[in-house]
Amino acid sequence: MTMQLLELTFLTLIVHLIDTLAYSVRLNSVKNGKFALSISLFNIFVLVSRTANMFQAPLVGGLIGISILKHQDPLSDIRLVILSATIGTIVGIVLIPTFLRLFSKAVDKLEVRGSVPSIIVEALSINNIKRIVKSTTRPRKNMMLSLRFREIPKRFLILNTIITAIYTIGVIAAYYAAFFVDEKFRLAASASSGMINGIATILLTLLVDPQSAIITDQALRGKRPYGDVKALVIMLIGTKLIGTLLGQFLIYPSARIIAFFYT
């Protein structure tokens, strides 16, 4: 594995790990009733994720550029990158109980101090790092038995699976499409990555986020049990995981479809 491919897989893993943890913020906001504080603190994590995602495009472009020069199909390397998205999601799932425990404490500190940088500096101290390691919590199997999964709309879960798959491969498919087109169209093909991810973001905002917000808001107002938000989070994370796996099947035909418009 080249250093460039290693960096790309690591960044992809981090992006999807943080995106997975993002789903669990709903649980903390409903349980503690501190929705605004939770969102404010979590924006820091989202910023790290988005910054890492910005570096993905040039790394993918470099990978495809080398493959074009060598006349070698980079599909195997691309599948490895997509696999890292799946691994990042799985690691995020495992870390959710620990993350929620630490995140809840961080929200309480934010309410007292009112400063995110001071919380970050305190968290990076050696003693607090040791406490974080000791606070590691394993997911519990019995937590899922009493949840009302039937109360969660299935249609928007299917949409979340498809949108996650598009988001996972959007940038990669566009750059991979450049491998199949003439040299004069390669920049145009790779530039379509922003449009593809933009469409995925719009669909997520219009079709998935509103339904998730409704369930979360109803739980905050006591119209739904807290368990419904747990069921929502578990099913969203499950469909996200399926979406990253679906990306393995969609990457090649997606690149070919994009390339078709430039041939």
Side-chain angles (χ1 to χ4, degrees), residues 99-144:
F99 172 77
L100 284 176
R101 187 174 178 180
L102 297 174
F103 189 79
S104 179
K105 293 179 180 179
V107 170
D108 292 338
K109 286 185 177 294
L110 178 62
E111 186 175 20
V112 174
R113 298 193 175 188
S115 172
V116 173
S118 65
I119 295 175
I120 295 175
V121 171
E122 182 180 347
L124 293 176
S125 68
I126 295 176
N127 289 334
N128 278 323
I129 290 175
K130 290 180 180 178
R131 292 193 189 100
I132 290 172
V133 173
K134 291 180 180 179
S135 299
T136 303
T137 307
R138 294 181 180 180
R140 292 177 297 174
K141 295 180 181 179
N142 60 355
M143 186 188 76
M144 300 179 62

Short mmCIF file of all heavy atoms in Angstrom, two decimals, residues 99-144:
data_model
loop_
_atom_site.label_atom_id
_atom_site.label_comp_id
_atom_site.label_asym_id
_atom_site.label_seq_id
_atom_site.Cartn_x
_atom_site.Cartn_y
_atom_site.Cartn_z
N PHE A 99 -18.66 7.33 23.55
CA PHE A 99 -18.78 8.70 23.06
C PHE A 99 -19.90 9.44 23.78
O PHE A 99 -19.73 10.60 24.19
CB PHE A 99 -19.03 8.68 21.56
CG PHE A 99 -19.36 10.03 20.97
CD1 PHE A 99 -18.37 10.98 20.75
CD2 PHE A 99 -20.67 10.36 20.65
CE1 PHE A 99 -18.66 12.21 20.22
CE2 PHE A 99 -20.98 11.60 20.12
CZ PHE A 99 -19.97 12.53 19.90
N LEU A 100 -21.06 8.79 23.95
CA LEU A 100 -22.19 9.44 24.61
C LEU A 100 -21.87 9.78 26.06
O LEU A 100 -22.26 10.85 26.55
CB LEU A 100 -23.42 8.54 24.54
CG LEU A 100 -24.14 8.47 23.18
CD1 LEU A 100 -25.27 7.46 23.23
CD2 LEU A 100 -24.68 9.84 22.80
N ARG A 101 -21.17 8.88 26.72
CA ARG A 101 -20.81 9.12 28.12
C ARG A 101 -19.89 10.33 28.24
O ARG A 101 -20.09 11.20 29.10
CB ARG A 101 -20.12 7.87 28.68
CG ARG A 101 -19.84 7.92 30.16
CD ARG A 101 -19.29 6.58 30.62
NE ARG A 101 -18.95 6.59 32.03
CZ ARG A 101 -18.46 5.56 32.69
NH1 ARG A 101 -18.25 4.43 32.04
NH2 ARG A 101 -18.17 5.64 33.97
N LEU A 102 -18.89 10.41 27.38
CA LEU A 102 -17.94 11.52 27.41
C LEU A 102 -18.59 12.81 26.89
O LEU A 102 -18.33 13.90 27.41
CB LEU A 102 -16.71 11.17 26.57
CG LEU A 102 -15.88 9.98 27.05
CD1 LEU A 102 -14.79 9.66 26.04
CD2 LEU A 102 -15.28 10.25 28.42
N PHE A 103 -19.42 12.66 25.87
CA PHE A 103 -20.06 13.84 25.27
C PHE A 103 -21.00 14.51 26.26
O PHE A 103 -21.07 15.74 26.33
CB PHE A 103 -20.82 13.41 24.01
CG PHE A 103 -21.35 14.55 23.19
CD1 PHE A 103 -20.51 15.26 22.34
CD2 PHE A 103 -22.67 14.93 23.28
CE1 PHE A 103 -20.99 16.32 21.58
CE2 PHE A 103 -23.16 15.98 22.53
CZ PHE A 103 -22.32 16.68 21.68
N SER A 104 -21.72 13.69 27.04
CA SER A 104 -22.62 14.25 28.05
C SER A 104 -21.87 15.08 29.08
O SER A 104 -22.30 16.17 29.47
CB SER A 104 -23.38 13.11 28.73
OG SER A 104 -24.25 13.62 29.72
N LYS A 105 -20.70 14.58 29.50
CA LYS A 105 -19.88 15.33 30.46
C LYS A 105 -19.35 16.62 29.84
O LYS A 105 -19.28 17.66 30.50
CB LYS A 105 -18.71 14.46 30.93
CG LYS A 105 -19.12 13.26 31.77
CD LYS A 105 -17.91 12.43 32.17
CE LYS A 105 -18.32 11.23 33.01
NZ LYS A 105 -17.16 10.39 33.39
N ALA A 106 -18.98 16.53 28.56
CA ALA A 106 -18.47 17.72 27.87
C ALA A 106 -19.54 18.80 27.73
O ALA A 106 -19.26 19.99 27.87
CB ALA A 106 -17.93 17.33 26.50
N VAL A 107 -20.79 18.38 27.47
CA VAL A 107 -21.89 19.34 27.37
C VAL A 107 -22.12 20.04 28.71
O VAL A 107 -22.34 21.25 28.76
CB VAL A 107 -23.18 18.63 26.90
CG1 VAL A 107 -24.39 19.55 27.03
CG2 VAL A 107 -23.04 18.17 25.46
N ASP A 108 -22.05 19.27 29.80
CA ASP A 108 -22.21 19.88 31.14
C ASP A 108 -21.10 20.90 31.42
O ASP A 108 -21.36 21.97 31.98
CB ASP A 108 -22.18 18.78 32.21
CG ASP A 108 -23.40 17.88 32.15
OD1 ASP A 108 -24.43 18.32 31.59
OD2 ASP A 108 -23.32 16.74 32.65
N LYS A 109 -19.88 20.58 31.02
CA LYS A 109 -18.76 21.51 31.22
C LYS A 109 -18.93 22.77 30.35
O LYS A 109 -18.58 23.88 30.76
CB LYS A 109 -17.44 20.82 30.92
CG LYS A 109 -17.00 19.82 31.98
CD LYS A 109 -15.63 19.26 31.68
CE LYS A 109 -15.17 18.32 32.79
NZ LYS A 109 -14.94 19.05 34.07
N LEU A 110 -19.46 22.56 29.14
CA LEU A 110 -19.68 23.70 28.24
C LEU A 110 -20.69 24.66 28.83
O LEU A 110 -20.55 25.89 28.72
CB LEU A 110 -20.15 23.21 26.88
CG LEU A 110 -20.47 24.29 25.83
CD1 LEU A 110 -19.22 25.12 25.51
CD2 LEU A 110 -21.01 23.65 24.55
N GLU A 111 -21.71 24.12 29.50
CA GLU A 111 -22.73 24.96 30.11
C GLU A 111 -22.14 25.82 31.22
O GLU A 111 -22.55 26.97 31.42
CB GLU A 111 -23.85 24.08 30.68
CG GLU A 111 -25.04 24.87 31.21
CD GLU A 111 -26.17 23.96 31.65
OE1 GLU A 111 -25.92 22.77 31.91
OE2 GLU A 111 -27.32 24.46 31.76
N VAL A 112 -21.15 25.28 31.93
CA VAL A 112 -20.52 26.02 33.04
C VAL A 112 -19.49 27.01 32.52
O VAL A 112 -19.46 28.18 32.94
CB VAL A 112 -19.86 25.03 34.03
CG1 VAL A 112 -19.08 25.79 35.11
CG2 VAL A 112 -20.93 24.14 34.66
N ARG A 113 -18.62 26.57 31.61
CA ARG A 113 -17.49 27.38 31.17
C ARG A 113 -17.83 28.27 29.98
O ARG A 113 -17.25 29.34 29.82
CB ARG A 113 -16.30 26.48 30.83
CG ARG A 113 -15.79 25.69 32.02
CD ARG A 113 -14.46 25.08 31.73
NE ARG A 113 -13.90 24.42 32.89
CZ ARG A 113 -12.68 23.93 32.95
NH1 ARG A 113 -11.89 24.04 31.90
NH2 ARG A 113 -12.25 23.34 34.04
N GLY A 114 -18.70 27.79 29.09
CA GLY A 114 -19.08 28.58 27.92
C GLY A 114 -17.99 28.72 26.89
O GLY A 114 -18.03 29.62 26.06
N SER A 115 -16.98 27.85 26.93
CA SER A 115 -15.85 27.93 26.00
C SER A 115 -15.46 26.54 25.53
O SER A 115 -15.04 25.70 26.33
CB SER A 115 -14.66 28.62 26.68
OG SER A 115 -13.52 28.55 25.85
N VAL A 116 -15.58 26.32 24.23
CA VAL A 116 -15.19 25.03 23.65
C VAL A 116 -13.68 24.82 23.70
O VAL A 116 -13.22 23.73 24.06
CB VAL A 116 -15.72 24.90 22.21
CG1 VAL A 116 -15.16 23.64 21.54
CG2 VAL A 116 -17.24 24.87 22.19
N PRO A 117 -12.85 25.83 23.35
CA PRO A 117 -11.39 25.62 23.41
C PRO A 117 -10.89 25.18 24.78
O PRO A 117 -10.01 24.33 24.88
CB PRO A 117 -10.82 27.00 23.03
CG PRO A 117 -11.88 27.60 22.17
CD PRO A 117 -13.17 27.15 22.77
N SER A 118 -11.44 25.75 25.87
CA SER A 118 -10.99 25.37 27.21
C SER A 118 -11.32 23.92 27.51
O SER A 118 -10.56 23.21 28.19
CB SER A 118 -11.62 26.28 28.27
OG SER A 118 -13.03 26.10 28.30
N ILE A 119 -12.45 23.43 27.00
CA ILE A 119 -12.84 22.03 27.20
C ILE A 119 -11.88 21.11 26.45
O ILE A 119 -11.46 20.07 26.95
CB ILE A 119 -14.29 21.81 26.72
CG1 ILE A 119 -15.25 22.60 27.60
CG2 ILE A 119 -14.64 20.31 26.77
CD1 ILE A 119 -16.69 22.54 27.11
N ILE A 120 -11.51 21.52 25.22
CA ILE A 120 -10.60 20.71 24.41
C ILE A 120 -9.23 20.63 25.07
O ILE A 120 -8.62 19.55 25.15
CB ILE A 120 -10.49 21.29 22.98
CG1 ILE A 120 -11.84 21.19 22.26
CG2 ILE A 120 -9.42 20.55 22.19
CD1 ILE A 120 -11.86 21.85 20.91
N VAL A 121 -8.73 21.78 25.56
CA VAL A 121 -7.42 21.80 26.22
C VAL A 121 -7.44 20.91 27.46
O VAL A 121 -6.51 20.14 27.71
CB VAL A 121 -7.04 23.25 26.61
CG1 VAL A 121 -5.80 23.25 27.49
CG2 VAL A 121 -6.80 24.08 25.36
N GLU A 122 -8.51 20.99 28.24
CA GLU A 122 -8.62 20.16 29.45
C GLU A 122 -8.68 18.69 29.09
O GLU A 122 -8.09 17.84 29.77
CB GLU A 122 -9.85 20.56 30.24
CG GLU A 122 -10.00 19.78 31.55
CD GLU A 122 -11.23 20.20 32.33
OE1 GLU A 122 -11.82 21.25 32.00
OE2 GLU A 122 -11.61 19.47 33.28
N ALA A 123 -9.41 18.35 28.01
CA ALA A 123 -9.57 16.95 27.61
C ALA A 123 -8.24 16.34 27.16
O ALA A 123 -8.04 15.13 27.27
CB ALA A 123 -10.60 16.84 26.50
N LEU A 124 -7.33 17.18 26.66
CA LEU A 124 -6.06 16.68 26.15
C LEU A 124 -5.00 16.50 27.22
O LEU A 124 -3.88 16.06 26.93
CB LEU A 124 -5.53 17.63 25.05
CG LEU A 124 -6.35 17.69 23.76
CD1 LEU A 124 -5.78 18.73 22.81
CD2 LEU A 124 -6.41 16.33 23.09
N SER A 125 -5.34 16.82 28.46
CA SER A 125 -4.38 16.60 29.55
C SER A 125 -4.19 15.10 29.78
O SER A 125 -5.09 14.30 29.50
CB SER A 125 -4.85 17.28 30.84
OG SER A 125 -6.02 16.63 31.33
N ILE A 126 -3.03 14.72 30.28
CA ILE A 126 -2.70 13.30 30.46
C ILE A 126 -3.69 12.61 31.40
O ILE A 126 -4.16 11.50 31.12
CB ILE A 126 -1.26 13.15 30.99
CG1 ILE A 126 -0.26 13.66 29.95
CG2 ILE A 126 -0.97 11.68 31.33
CD1 ILE A 126 1.17 13.64 30.42
N ASN A 127 -4.05 13.27 32.50
CA ASN A 127 -4.97 12.66 33.47
C ASN A 127 -6.35 12.42 32.86
O ASN A 127 -6.97 11.38 33.10
CB ASN A 127 -5.11 13.57 34.70
CG ASN A 127 -3.85 13.57 35.55
OD1 ASN A 127 -3.08 12.61 35.55
ND2 ASN A 127 -3.63 14.66 36.27
N ASN A 128 -6.82 13.37 32.06
CA ASN A 128 -8.13 13.20 31.44
C ASN A 128 -8.11 12.16 30.34
O ASN A 128 -9.11 11.45 30.12
CB ASN A 128 -8.62 14.54 30.87
CG ASN A 128 -9.26 15.42 31.93
OD1 ASN A 128 -9.94 14.93 32.82
ND2 ASN A 128 -9.03 16.71 31.84
N ILE A 129 -6.99 12.04 29.64
CA ILE A 129 -6.88 10.99 28.63
C ILE A 129 -6.96 9.61 29.29
O ILE A 129 -7.60 8.69 28.79
CB ILE A 129 -5.56 11.13 27.84
CG1 ILE A 129 -5.62 12.38 26.95
CG2 ILE A 129 -5.30 9.89 26.98
CD1 ILE A 129 -4.32 12.69 26.23
N LYS A 130 -6.32 9.48 30.47
CA LYS A 130 -6.40 8.22 31.21
C LYS A 130 -7.84 7.94 31.64
O LYS A 130 -8.31 6.80 31.59
CB LYS A 130 -5.49 8.28 32.44
CG LYS A 130 -4.00 8.28 32.11
CD LYS A 130 -3.17 8.35 33.39
CE LYS A 130 -1.68 8.34 33.07
NZ LYS A 130 -0.85 8.45 34.30
N ARG A 131 -8.56 8.99 32.08
CA ARG A 131 -9.96 8.81 32.48
C ARG A 131 -10.82 8.40 31.29
O ARG A 131 -11.74 7.59 31.42
CB ARG A 131 -10.50 10.11 33.09
CG ARG A 131 -9.89 10.48 34.43
CD ARG A 131 -10.68 11.57 35.09
NE ARG A 131 -10.00 12.10 36.26
CZ ARG A 131 -9.30 13.21 36.29
NH1 ARG A 131 -9.18 13.94 35.19
NH2 ARG A 131 -8.72 13.62 37.40
N ILE A 132 -10.52 8.99 30.11
CA ILE A 132 -11.29 8.64 28.91
C ILE A 132 -11.10 7.17 28.57
O ILE A 132 -12.06 6.47 28.22
CB ILE A 132 -10.85 9.54 27.73
CG1 ILE A 132 -11.32 10.99 27.96
CG2 ILE A 132 -11.40 9.01 26.40
CD1 ILE A 132 -10.78 11.98 26.95
N VAL A 133 -9.87 6.69 28.67
CA VAL A 133 -9.59 5.28 28.39
C VAL A 133 -10.34 4.38 29.36
O VAL A 133 -10.91 3.36 28.98
CB VAL A 133 -8.08 5.00 28.46
CG1 VAL A 133 -7.80 3.50 28.33
CG2 VAL A 133 -7.34 5.77 27.37
N LYS A 134 -10.37 4.76 30.64
CA LYS A 134 -11.06 3.97 31.65
C LYS A 134 -12.59 4.04 31.50
O LYS A 134 -13.30 3.17 32.00
CB LYS A 134 -10.67 4.45 33.05
CG LYS A 134 -9.22 4.15 33.42
CD LYS A 134 -8.90 4.65 34.81
CE LYS A 134 -7.45 4.35 35.18
NZ LYS A 134 -7.10 4.85 36.54
N SER A 135 -13.08 5.07 30.81
CA SER A 135 -14.52 5.25 30.64
C SER A 135 -15.09 4.45 29.47
O SER A 135 -16.29 4.55 29.18
CB SER A 135 -14.85 6.74 30.43
OG SER A 135 -14.46 7.50 31.55
N THR A 136 -14.24 3.69 28.81
CA THR A 136 -14.69 2.91 27.65
C THR A 136 -15.84 1.99 28.04
O THR A 136 -15.76 1.25 29.02
CB THR A 136 -13.53 2.07 27.08
OG1 THR A 136 -12.46 2.95 26.73
CG2 THR A 136 -13.97 1.32 25.85
N THR A 137 -16.91 2.06 27.27
CA THR A 137 -18.12 1.28 27.54
C THR A 137 -18.47 0.43 26.32
O THR A 137 -18.46 0.93 25.19
CB THR A 137 -19.31 2.21 27.88
OG1 THR A 137 -18.91 3.09 28.93
CG2 THR A 137 -20.53 1.41 28.30
N ARG A 138 -18.83 -0.81 26.56
CA ARG A 138 -19.21 -1.69 25.46
C ARG A 138 -20.70 -1.57 25.15
O ARG A 138 -21.50 -1.37 26.05
CB ARG A 138 -18.90 -3.15 25.81
CG ARG A 138 -17.42 -3.47 25.95
CD ARG A 138 -17.24 -4.94 26.28
NE ARG A 138 -15.83 -5.27 26.43
CZ ARG A 138 -15.38 -6.48 26.73
NH1 ARG A 138 -16.25 -7.49 26.90
NH2 ARG A 138 -14.08 -6.70 26.84
N PRO A 139 -21.08 -1.70 23.86
CA PRO A 139 -22.51 -1.72 23.52
C PRO A 139 -23.19 -2.93 24.17
O PRO A 139 -22.61 -4.00 24.25
CB PRO A 139 -22.49 -1.85 21.99
CG PRO A 139 -21.14 -1.39 21.57
CD PRO A 139 -20.21 -1.76 22.69
N ARG A 140 -24.43 -2.75 24.62
CA ARG A 140 -25.16 -3.84 25.27
C ARG A 140 -26.19 -4.44 24.31
O ARG A 140 -26.98 -3.72 23.70
CB ARG A 140 -25.87 -3.32 26.53
CG ARG A 140 -24.90 -2.92 27.64
CD ARG A 140 -25.67 -2.35 28.82
NE ARG A 140 -26.38 -1.12 28.43
CZ ARG A 140 -27.22 -0.48 29.25
NH1 ARG A 140 -27.49 -0.97 30.45
NH2 ARG A 140 -27.81 0.63 28.84
N LYS A 141 -26.18 -5.75 24.22
CA LYS A 141 -27.09 -6.45 23.31
C LYS A 141 -28.54 -6.31 23.74
O LYS A 141 -29.44 -6.19 22.91
CB LYS A 141 -26.71 -7.92 23.22
CG LYS A 141 -25.34 -8.19 22.61
CD LYS A 141 -25.05 -9.67 22.55
CE LYS A 141 -23.67 -9.94 21.95
NZ LYS A 141 -23.34 -11.38 21.91
N ASN A 142 -28.79 -6.34 25.06
CA ASN A 142 -30.17 -6.32 25.53
C ASN A 142 -30.85 -4.97 25.32
O ASN A 142 -32.06 -4.84 25.49
CB ASN A 142 -30.23 -6.70 27.01
CG ASN A 142 -29.41 -5.76 27.89
OD1 ASN A 142 -28.73 -4.87 27.39
ND2 ASN A 142 -29.48 -5.96 29.20
N MET A 143 -30.07 -3.94 24.97
CA MET A 143 -30.65 -2.61 24.75
C MET A 143 -31.63 -2.61 23.59
O MET A 143 -32.60 -1.85 23.57
CB MET A 143 -29.54 -1.60 24.48
CG MET A 143 -30.01 -0.16 24.37
SD MET A 143 -28.70 0.96 23.81
CE MET A 143 -28.64 0.56 22.06
N MET A 144 -31.42 -3.49 22.62
CA MET A 144 -32.23 -3.48 21.39
C MET A 144 -33.53 -4.25 21.54
O MET A 144 -34.44 -4.09 20.72
CB MET A 144 -31.40 -4.05 20.24
CG MET A 144 -30.14 -3.29 19.94
SD MET A 144 -29.18 -4.04 18.59
CE MET A 144 -30.34 -3.90 17.25
#
